[in-house]
Amino acid sequence: MELVRDISEELKSSYIDYAMSVIVGRAIPDVRDGLKPVQRRILYAMHEMGLLSNRPTRKSARIVGEVLGKYHPHGDATVYDALVRLAQDFVMRYPLVEGQGNFGSIDGDSPAAMRYTEARLTKIAEEMLADIEKETVDFIPNFDATLKEPVVLPAKIPNLLVNGSSGIAVGMATSIPPHNLREVCEAIEEFIKNPSCDIEDIMKHIKGPDFPTGGIIVGVKGIKEAYITGKGKIVVRGKIEKEGKRLVIKEIPYMVNKAKLVENIADLAKEGKIEEIKAVRDESDREGLRVVLELRDEADADVVVKKLCAYSSFQTTFGIINLALVNNEPKILGIREMIEFYLEHRRDVVRRRTKFELEKAKQRLHIIEGIKKVLEDLDNAIQLIKNSKTPEEARISLMNTYKISEKQAEAVLQVRLQKLTNMEIGSLIKEYEELVKLTQELEAVLADPKRVDTIILNELKEIKEKYGDERRTQIIYEEEEITDIDLVAEEDNLILVSEDGFIKRLPLEDFKVQNRGGVGISYGMDNLQCVSFCNSLDKILIFTNSGRVFWINASEIPKVDRTSKGIQIRKLVRLENDEKIVSIVGTRNFEGYVVVLSPDGYIKKIKISEFENAKRAGIIASSGEIFSVVPLKGREVVVTTKSGYAAWFDAEEIPEYGRSAKGVVGIRLREGDEIANITCGASDLLLTLTENGYGKRTKLEEFRKSGRGAMGVIAHKINEKTGKLVLSEFCGKELFAFSHEGYCIRVEIEKIPIYGRNSAGVIVSKKGIKKALVI
């Protein structure tokens, strides 16, 4: 068998043919009228059907049938989809079709079936088709060569720029944003008057894209890049207003689905990523878009807006690709080239229209000249016609006698008797003079390119006045980079970790100050493992019992309701099996030291900067187990045991070691005793608390400074009534005491009385104390 052609060559050739068919025949708009073939065929078919803006609407199914039967031999769904898009005012900056019925919504709702909707051309669409009957554009045979269709529309409107376009072809895509008609017209006027104008001159008129849905463009760098190269990216943000303790979204970015945006924001609030939002409502109606975000009392509105920009489609990136067909070839164009090609098209249209009108005027002038010549000898002409036996003989006699053409003679014979009155003859002579003047004017236009440009300028001025409107999309000229810190409202928080690995962040305001000896309020955990105080802007160091450390941003921990369980800590850091969190320390810039204490009393200090590379995977913080880690502050250190003993020594006695060291002896434990707590500070009073809820303040001067490595002295009288010691802290302003049963009481420390070392203290928390925190 003879090999006719290699299959790879055949596939390559066929694929290129297919690709060009899609590019030219479906997906990419023409630079001259900004329309794809299906859109052009829809507008032309509606024009032929007489569906003008001042006529009644017609069923969409009827329009689709007309387009399919005459010009577009593809699926009806594609035609109807294109028709719907031309009518959607949230997609088209200047809709070309006026729809009646359900044509879809910004929520992504589908339009009604074509049998239920009706449509007609808008007034601005009529400008796209103006003068099409004057041979202003080329026509080609339709798919079955029974009719003709236009290759391009005359396009008195610079549609490619004002309505933009989007489409995906084979190996390429177009994404041209819409612009403001008034600005585009002014830019074209500038180009006509100053053909050597640069991008800066054009951007004095066209500030940037102008989307039908409004919004805000952040920064001009991407706009300028796209206008110069034809490609660029712009950041588009919705518009939001503050109304009391509410934020109201009034505008959203172009092509963003409102319903999905609302759902997305609600999910973010539920997940705790935007914890400041407590409710989301869509109150949009016929008057416009309105999405209400109810904020919590303590919420910072500016931070909420930044979070919306960072986490949701309230802020999107619009990629500009100015790809259009130029002489049936796809090209990426800068805005100057787009204006230039459109202007060339309009010049060609005006010249062709002028030629057509000149030809019509000359034909009419030719007829009028013949009639005028005969009217000058009217009596003889009438007698000549009367003496003729047939119309044919009369026509030949007129031609021979008055030296006129056959058409002129035919026109003379068609003149009605009433036209022979003095008034009608006068109007005929006036028409003759006007035609002479008109032909001279039209010939002058064709002879002078400047006259053509003047006509275009006048048309642009008229279009601008009739259809121009104010810009909808605002432009912020300085780009705002949203950092992680911008997304967090600065506030003091508590971080709680449970024994089963749940973590959450709570504002201090969730706990009201109460009197000593009360029950407190529920905090959503009955098996608290660790509690820490931090600022929402802090980075938090997370230390585990196995000697490892991690760090994350405090803001990554969801701020949830007080009674919520929180999220699994394993979603934030990579804990091993049976690894428990023992301490959390907040830091802003990895400066200073922390003190690391092991369960058997070994102690060391280490620079916080050693943990900067810990991140989520974790690194070693100590070679042995860790009982507790506290920031090193003040001059004094007190380590206490569960049996009520305290070792007090100077912070200077703690040696500095690296991450892999265990340290030196900080306290020697008595048999059967265990570490209760470590505190660093500089107060004259020491607060001690027991597991059954007893507490007291003791003057530090009552203690003997034993030095590092000692067994310590009695700090709190421990018995069956008090239970074991759980906390010793240098006194601050407030105490948060967490019970075994999931209650927390917030007490002013000055309300706790001062007793001696051997005292058992007074009831601070009725429910007992498992963990406590002093701030």
Side-chain angles (χ1 to χ4, degrees):
M1 179 179 174
E2 184 182 353
L3 183 66
V4 178
R5 191 178 187 189
D6 188 86
I7 190 168
S8 62
E9 288 296 318
E10 178 62 30
L11 287 171
K12 183 179 178 182
S13 174
S14 298
Y15 190 73
I16 289 173
D17 290 343
Y18 163 71
M20 287 307 297
S21 171
V22 172
I23 291 165
V24 176
R26 293 191 190 182
I28 309 299
D30 194 291
V31 72
R32 295 168 291 179
D33 63 3
L35 297 172
K36 301 175 187 178
V38 66
Q39 296 171 328
R40 189 178 301 115
R41 287 163 177 166
I42 288 169
L43 296 182
Y44 182 65
M46 292 177 74
H47 175 74
E48 290 292 285
M49 292 170 70
L51 295 181
L52 305 181
S53 60
N54 58 353
R55 304 278 180 83
T57 56
R58 195 81 64 84
K59 283 284 186 186
S60 298
R62 172 74 177 80
I63 299 167
V64 171
E66 187 84 1
V67 175
L68 286 178
K70 290 185 175 180
Y71 308 115
H72 197 72
H74 298 284
D76 60 339
T78 58
V79 177
Y80 186 52
D81 287 346
L83 175 68
V84 165
R85 184 182 171 86
L86 292 172
Q88 290 176 329
D89 59 3
F90 52 88
V91 173
M92 303 288 285
R93 182 64 177 81
Y94 301 91
L96 301 178
V97 170
E98 181 185 341
Q100 185 170 304
N102 174 15
F103 273 77
S105 74
I106 199 168
D107 287 327
D109 300 318
S110 300
M114 67 179 83
R115 62 183 177 275
Y116 299 120
T117 61
E118 297 183 358
R120 65 183 175 188
L121 293 172
T122 59
K123 199 152 187 65
I124 201 167
E126 292 174 16
E127 304 288 359
M128 292 288 293
L129 292 146
D131 304 319
I132 196 168
E133 72 284 351
K134 294 183 179 180
E135 299 178 2
T136 50
V137 293
D138 292 333
F139 278 72
I140 55 172
N142 69 339
F143 60 89
D144 60 0
T146 57
L147 295 166
K148 296 248 178 142
E149 62 174 303
V151 174
V152 67
L153 297 187
K156 199 180 278 188
I157 307 292
N159 183 61
L160 185 63
L161 275 169
V162 300
N163 272 324
S165 185
S166 64
I168 299 172
V170 179
M172 60 184 67
T174 185
S175 179
I176 304 170
H179 292 80
N180 184 274
L181 178 61
R182 186 180 294 167
E183 292 180 359
V184 173
C185 288
E186 288 173 357
I188 297 171
E189 289 171 5
E190 173 74 25
F191 191 90
I192 292 172
K193 294 171 185 175
N194 179 19
S196 61
C197 65
D198 58 15
I199 291 295
E200 302 292 341
D201 296 322
I202 291 172
M203 288 188 70
K204 287 176 185 175
H205 302 286
I206 302 178
K207 310 298 182 186
D210 188 25
F211 300 108
T213 52
I216 300 168
I217 295 174
V218 183
V220 295
K221 185 179 177 183
I223 298 173
K224 191 169 183 180
E225 183 183 354
Y227 285 177
I228 294 171
T229 66
K231 283 187 174 183
K233 290 181 180 179
I234 57 173
V235 175
V236 187
R237 182 183 299 168
K239 197 170 283 186
I240 198 164
E241 295 177 5
K242 191 174 181 182
E243 294 181 3
K245 290 304 292 181
R246 300 187 299 183
L247 288 175
V248 181
I249 298 174
K250 296 288 186 72
E251 296 173 5
I252 61 176
Y254 185 54
M255 299 306 286
V256 166
N257 183 311
K258 175 169 65 67
K260 287 185 179 178
L261 173 62
V262 172
E263 185 181 347
N264 182 210
I265 294 172
D267 288 342
L268 290 169
K270 189 177 179 181
E271 292 166 5
K273 279 196 170 182
I274 313 182
E275 67 274 1
E276 296 89 346
I277 297 174
K278 63 180 181 182
V280 183
R281 291 193 312 277
D282 186 357
E283 297 181 357
S284 305
D285 54 22
R286 290 179 182 272
E287 293 180 8
L289 189 145
R290 181 181 171 87
V291 177
V292 178
L293 311 179
E294 295 283 354
L295 303 184
R296 300 183 189 280
D297 292 339
E298 71 279 4
D300 184 329
D302 292 335
V303 171
V304 175
V305 172
K306 287 173 181 174
K307 284 186 176 181
L308 287 172
C309 294
Y311 300 142
S312 76
S313 53
F314 179 72
Q315 177 172 297
T316 61
T317 300
F318 186 94
I320 299 175
I321 308 171
N322 293 333
L323 182 74
L325 294 177
V326 180
N327 296 325
N328 275 346
E329 289 183 12
K331 286 189 177 180
I332 293 177
L333 308 167
I335 197 165
R336 196 178 183 282
E337 294 169 292
M338 295 169 81
I339 291 173
E340 189 174 4
F341 284 123
Y342 171 73
L343 192 53
E344 280 181 18
H345 173 58
R346 283 307 296 166
R347 283 169 175 159
D348 183 53
V349 166
V350 170
R351 281 193 293 266
R352 291 178 68 158
R353 181 182 68 197
T354 305
K355 283 180 183 177
F356 177 85
E357 290 172 349
L358 178 60
E359 186 60 33
K360 287 287 183 185
K362 282 181 175 179
Q363 289 175 9
R364 179 62 180 163
L365 183 60
H366 179 65
I367 298 297
I368 297 298
E369 281 175 340
I371 295 172
K372 182 173 174 289
K373 190 179 286 189
V374 173
L375 287 179
E376 289 170 352
D377 187 27
L378 182 58
D379 293 338
N380 291 330
I382 291 172
Q383 191 61 42
L384 185 148
I385 293 168
K386 284 171 67 179
N387 294 336
S388 300
K389 293 179 181 179
T390 64
E392 181 65 28
E393 185 181 328
R395 183 167 61 252
I396 293 169
S397 297
L398 286 170
M399 291 168 61
N400 292 332
T401 304
Y402 296 104
K403 307 300 181 190
I404 60 177
S405 69
E406 185 177 346
K407 283 185 179 179
Q408 288 173 319
E410 186 64 39
V412 169
L413 291 173
Q414 296 297 327
V415 173
R416 298 170 66 182
L417 289 175
Q418 68 181 29
K419 292 284 186 182
L420 301 180
T421 63
N422 284 332
M423 185 180 291
E424 290 295 331
I425 290 171
S427 65
L428 197 69
I429 292 169
K430 185 180 178 182
E431 184 184 358
Y432 170 77
E433 291 170 351
E434 288 174 350
L435 283 169
V436 170
K437 189 177 178 180
L438 178 60
T439 53
Q440 290 172 348
E441 175 68 22
L442 293 173
E443 285 172 345
V445 169
L446 288 172
D448 186 0
K450 289 184 179 179
R451 297 283 291 272
V452 173
D453 284 350
T454 302
I455 292 170
I456 295 171
L457 283 170
N458 292 335
E459 288 178 349
L460 286 170
K461 186 178 179 182
E462 182 186 347
I463 291 292
K464 186 169 62 174
E465 289 173 355
K466 282 172 72 175
Y467 307 106
D469 58 1
E470 294 301 318
R471 164 174 278 279
R472 296 182 190 175
T473 302
Q474 182 185 345
I475 297 175
I476 299 175
Y477 288 89
E478 292 183 11
E479 285 194 49
E480 302 171 351
E481 186 178 349
I482 299 174
T483 63
D484 290 341
I485 293 176
D486 292 330
L487 302 178
V488 183
E490 184 171 6
E491 62 176 353
D492 291 333
N493 295 142
L494 295 181
I495 294 178
L496 279 66
V497 183
S498 66
E499 290 177 357
D500 51 358
F502 284 86
I503 189 168
K504 65 180 178 179
R505 182 164 56 98
L506 299 174
L508 300 187
E509 291 74 23
D510 278 7
F511 303 91
K512 292 182 179 179
V513 177
Q514 296 177 289
N515 291 325
R516 172 183 61 79
V519 173
I521 57 175
S522 173
Y523 63 89
M525 290 178 174
D526 56 5
N527 53 356
L528 190 64
Q529 171 77 27
C530 174
V531 60
S532 177
F533 170 82
C534 76
N535 187 279
S536 56
L537 299 183
D538 283 350
K539 297 171 177 61
I540 58 168
L541 300 169
I542 301 172
F543 294 88
T544 70
N545 60 337
S546 65
R548 293 204 302 159
V549 60
F550 310 81
W551 78 257
I552 59 173
N553 294 307
S555 57
E556 292 179 58
I557 301 170
K559 194 170 75 169
V560 294
D561 291 334
R562 178 169 45 82
T563 55
S564 171
K565 198 172 183 180
I567 66 163
Q568 266 289 346
I569 185 68
R570 294 179 189 275
K571 290 183 177 180
L572 302 175
V573 295
R574 298 176 192 169
L575 292 180
E576 302 290 342
N577 293 335
D578 300 325
E579 196 171 13
K580 300 286 185 183
I581 293 171
V582 292
S583 291
I584 291 176
V585 176
T587 179
R588 190 65 61 91
N589 299 308
F590 293 99
E591 295 175 351
Y593 289 84
V594 289
V595 176
V596 181
L597 181 68
S598 69
D600 53 358
Y602 278 77
I603 196 168
K604 70 175 180 180
K605 70 179 178 185
I606 183 170
K607 286 180 180 177
I608 295 177
S609 58
E610 295 255 1
F611 308 130
E612 197 165 354
N613 296 323
K615 300 291 180 74
R616 298 170 191 276
I619 57 174
I620 292 295
S622 176
S623 60
E625 281 190 67
I626 293 178
F627 173 79
S628 180
V629 180
V630 293
L632 180 59
K633 53 187 178 182
R635 303 181 304 274
E636 316 292 343
V637 179
V638 175
V639 181
T640 50
T641 70
K642 290 183 178 181
S643 298
Y645 292 92
W648 171 29
F649 50 90
D650 291 330
E652 292 177 355
E653 294 186 47
I654 304 174
E656 181 182 343
Y657 283 103
R659 291 187 296 109
S660 58
K662 184 177 179 180
V664 295
V665 175
I667 185 171
R668 296 187 188 279
L669 295 171
R670 292 170 172 81
E671 189 175 347
D673 204 357
E674 297 177 43
I675 301 288
N677 198 70
I678 178 172
T679 180
C680 301
S683 174
D684 295 331
L685 294 167
L686 185 72
L687 173 70
T688 51
L689 300 170
T690 68
E691 61 184 358
N692 290 342
Y694 285 81
K696 65 174 182 175
R697 289 183 292 162
T698 305
K699 291 180 180 178
L700 200 62
E701 63 188 30
E702 290 196 29
F703 293 85
R704 174 174 54 84
K705 188 174 277 191
S706 57
R708 179 180 60 76
M711 298 180 77
V713 297
I714 286 290
H716 199 112
K717 185 178 180 181
I718 298 300
N719 53 38
E720 196 172 325
K721 180 181 75 172
T722 63
K724 293 181 179 179
L725 192 73
V726 293
L727 177 87
S728 61
E729 284 281 356
F730 287 110
C731 289
K733 289 184 178 181
E734 292 182 333
L735 166 71
F736 291 80
F738 298 85
S739 75
H740 296 265
E741 299 175 14
Y743 288 86
C744 174
I745 185 169
R746 181 179 182 180
V747 177
E748 291 180 352
I749 290 178
E750 63 179 16
K751 300 283 180 68
I752 301 173
I754 298 174
Y755 287 109
R757 288 192 299 112
N758 284 309
S759 170
V762 296
I763 285 289
V764 174
S765 170
K766 247 181 208 180
K767 291 285 186 180
I769 300 173
K770 182 175 185 181
K771 296 286 180 181
L773 181 71
V774 171
I775 62 170

